[in-house]
Amino acid sequence: MNHDRYGDDYISGILSGVRTIAIVGASPREVRPSFFVTKYLAEKGFKCFPVNPGHAGREIAGCATFARLSDIPEPVDMVDIFRASSAAGGIVDEALALTPLPKVIWMQLGVRNDEAAARAEAAGLKVVMDRCPKIEYGRLSGEIGWQGVNSRTIDARRPSLSGRGIQRLSLRTGRGGPSA
Amino acid sequence: MSNEKTPGFNTLSIHAGARPDPATGARATPIYQTTSFVFEDVDHAASLFGLQAFGNIYTRIGNPTCAVLEERVAALEGGTAALAVASGHAAQLIVMHTLLEPGDEFVAAGQLYGGSINQFNHAFKKFGWNVVWADATDPSSFEKALSPETKAIFIESIANPGGIVTDIAAVSAIAKKAKVPLIVDNTLATPYLCRPIEHGADIVVHSLTKFLGGHGNSIGGLIVDGGSFDWSQDDRYPSLSAPCPSYQGMVLHETFGNFAFAIACRVLGLRDLGPALSPFNAFLILTGTETLSLRMQRHSDNAKAVAEHLSRHEKVEWVNYAGLPGDSSHGLAQRYTPKGAGAVFTFGVKGGYDAGVKLVSSLTMFSHLANIGDTRSLVIHPASTTHRQLTDEQKTAAGAGPEVVRLSVGIEDLDDIIADLDQALAQI
């Protein structure tokens, strides 16, 4: 598939369909983008498993951290990669060795490895590259508009409050649609 | 609607940024007239202050009504994000505060709006930001004005009041070569007539007070992030590329990617300098944006007809309107503003300064005031008002010599606009 541009339906389908996310390269430093994403996704109700060999056994954003993907004690729906593009191939191969297989490989903003993406797609996984799941969730839920960001969507349906505290929207819409 | 196909301009003018209110279902954008927003708990507060969660804290930094306006104009300009502020001048202040350090320079067109010339020449000097002037009609003059200290180039798409259309793509090529962002003030054109980002602008600024609001009732300004400038290609823009001391060492460009400039303007410039837009003003301006295409086309059509009429009038020495064939900017106007050259232009009355004053005081339907971009027709004699602080040379350079009268043609009936001008010209 074309990885230069993704439709909103493709992205929202992925974010609505996964529950457990491994975040490879998550940092314990609170100002790092990988920490932001881990904390945000955990607050949205995803079960997050940071993967960071130097921090294994401790917590990142309240989530138990593991040294490698194969150490995670339950099936992972999505592997989110916070590593250089050149390192993404090895991580994808580790992900493809998991049983059961993940459903999605996600590479962060600035991370793209087309060969690894092709291997994952050949194994039946969906792939997203050079995107951030926090930005995409914020964009499709409407939250990112509070920061004046162009969500590139228009929608006359009422956004849904997530039910998890205040100022939190979900991917559901007022007329049904995908649920997260 | 998904993003498979980008909606058209009229659709974006009405819908972009404005979904029904999530709590009440209100269809029009509510006026969130509140200073502050409660936190769910201490952790939620920490997430918001640390920029880890999207949300509202305090209206000086962001407000849901203002945010709809921000997303609306970002969408109309084709930018990644925007920041609404208290005025067009505040927008310029925050842009430069984000880009420049004391001792830095920026190159600007000498034909800018007189208020901008003042702000750049005087107020910005106190920050140690030094303007170097170039000629909007000669792109190569921008290249000649560059120095190792240059951090930005600033132009107007259509210059106020001279009506010069700037060759945005040519100046953008110079900016790209110098690795500095091009800032375009798109107030007179609005994104309906011209979208500078499509021609290579990196940042667009607006006085919302003018055609975007369009009804002469609210002061406001706005910054659009074009999203394509690489702030980390060198160390010249530390507000974006270096660890930020007031956010525990966060690097804004790395964290916010292609909308980092708009975020930096908000969380550093607006947070610390403070010129926030009132949510009520944002609501009024938003209502204006919904009819932008209809108004701008009518403004431009009326202005063209008035300019043609004046160009044939015996008491008029000259008319500067880029929409007229033969005008020095006509070729550029056909390229950059093909739907019309806007509503603001100048003409020279025979008889100089005194004739200009007499004309302005004889008009009865035109309002004599300093604004432009109202539904109503407006007139001013710049030499005696907006440009009075400038030297004679600066006045002439800015297109505001003694005989110059500026019109902002409204959307009244054309016959009534022309009749008022004719009766006033007859009294000179």
Side-chain angles (χ1 to χ4, degrees), chain B residues 38-104:
Chain B
V38 293
F39 306 118
E40 181 187 331
D41 53 33
V42 172
D43 190 49
H44 180 226
S47 291
L48 289 171
F49 277 110
L51 309 180
Q52 294 161 346
F54 305 115
N56 301 285
I57 301 173
Y58 191 60
T59 289
R60 196 184 72 241
I61 305 167
N63 174 281
T65 310
C66 300
V68 173
L69 177 61
E70 289 160 351
E71 187 174 349
R72 173 82 43 88
V73 182
L76 293 177
E77 288 284 7
T80 53
L83 175 67
V85 294
S87 68
H89 263 31
Q92 293 173 179
L93 170 63
I94 287 179
V95 164
M96 294 304 180
H97 189 259
T98 306
L99 297 177
L100 271 60
E101 305 293 322
D104 284 346

Side-chain angles (χ1 to χ4, degrees), chain A residues 32 39 134 150-151 158 167, chain B residues 22 52 56 71 80 254:
Chain A
R32 301 298 303 159
K39 183 170 180 182
K134 179 188 172 191
N150 182 3
S151 67
R158 186 174 66 84
Q167 289 201 53
Chain B
Q52 294 161 346
N56 301 285
E71 187 174 349
T80 53
E254 174 193 50

